[in-house]
Amino acid sequence: MPEEVIRVYDLKKYYGDFPAVKGISFSVKKGEVFGFLGPNGAGKTTTIRMLTGILEPSEGRIEVFGMDVTKNKLKIRERVGIVPEMANPYIDLSAMQNLFLMGRLYGMKKREIKERSLSLLETFKLYNKKDQKVRTFSKGMKQRLSLAMALLPDPELLFLDEPTSGLDVMSARLIKDIIISEQQRGKTIFLNTHNMQDANELCNRVAIINHGKIVAIDTPEKIKELGAKYNVVEVSFSPFKVNEDFFSGKVKISGNKLNIHTEDVHRTIEEIVEFARREKIKIVTLNVKKPSLEDIFMEIVKENA
Ligand SMILES: Nc1ncnc2c1ncn2[C@@H]1O[C@H](COP(=O)(O)OP(=O)(O)OP(=O)(O)O)[C@@H](O)[C@H]1O
Ligand SMILES: [Mg+2]
């Protein structure tokens, strides 16, 4: 049994009367990339801030490395790296100065800070900018520095709040490659994202969160299987004709095409053929669209709205 690095029991957070997180429970295993996937306002940042001890939970319990977060904030903080939603380097300091500050905070030796910082600046393609004030950095550069700062003390556990959000393809790729290599080095990663592709590519398991509740939790593959019922058969007839009641699946019209939502692709195709024959019309195009993780996510979110 792999060790569980994070355990969360019936966690809740109210902002005033507003329930932002409504009783979630889950655990994250050592060495896992665990994705928290949800739309804007789902409660992802609120959750990560509670997990990292920045925000007090209203109810429930969180254990990190087997310790209660509210009682062991500092002990836990020494072993984790955090990349917050908004990049957090000081803008009046240079990249190198920010890294130094972070290293000192973690009690690292000067020499160790310097060596590791230079190597991280290289990795994150910031070496040439190391002495420049962060004020002059682009969003992507700030985000990369933010991740370099989180990695500086070589933490066992990383919390990343949408680390690739708003970044260009190259910067996003760089950050994703680093997530992959950190996992290969045995690190555990908790990743907030609203990007389905990232979740699919990076995560061993994904929790889908919506309106403060976990609505599905599984491997990306299993979540896709869950969604096997969300097939769409797209068909166009010539001449255009439609009788929505004829089909057992839900029919949506889009331009000159019918999109028939169905669990049973075979049956739907039989119905299409029968409909064409009966109406004496021709099938011009026929497409079976298997749901992407994104479609499934949309359906699951809709079902739990
Ligand atoms: N400080 C706050 N005071 C009051 N309400 C808040 C506060 N922070 C967040 N909320 C509300 O709590 C809910 C969850 O917000 P949260 O920031 O956790 O969402 P999120 O999943 O991180 O969204 P996003 O993808 O946009 O970052 C939202 O409805 C938000 O408006
Ligand atoms: Mg957020």
Side-chain angles (χ1 to χ4, degrees), residues 234-239 268-277 280-287:
E234 183 194 74
V235 59
S236 61
F237 298 115
S238 175
T268 297
I269 292 176
E270 282 185 340
E271 287 171 355
I272 289 169
V273 172
E274 196 186 326
F275 182 68
R277 207 174 273 147
K280 298 190 170 54
I281 55 178
K282 277 206 166 108
I283 298 168
V284 184
T285 59
L286 181 72
N287 244 316

Side-chain angles (χ1 to χ4, degrees), residues 119-134:
S119 132
L120 283 164
L121 287 163
E122 190 86 59
T123 309
F124 284 98
K125 306 203 180 343
L126 290 170
Y127 191 88
N128 295 336
K129 307 264 182 190
K130 67 182 168 47
D131 298 316
Q132 215 163 299
K133 281 206 171 127
V134 171

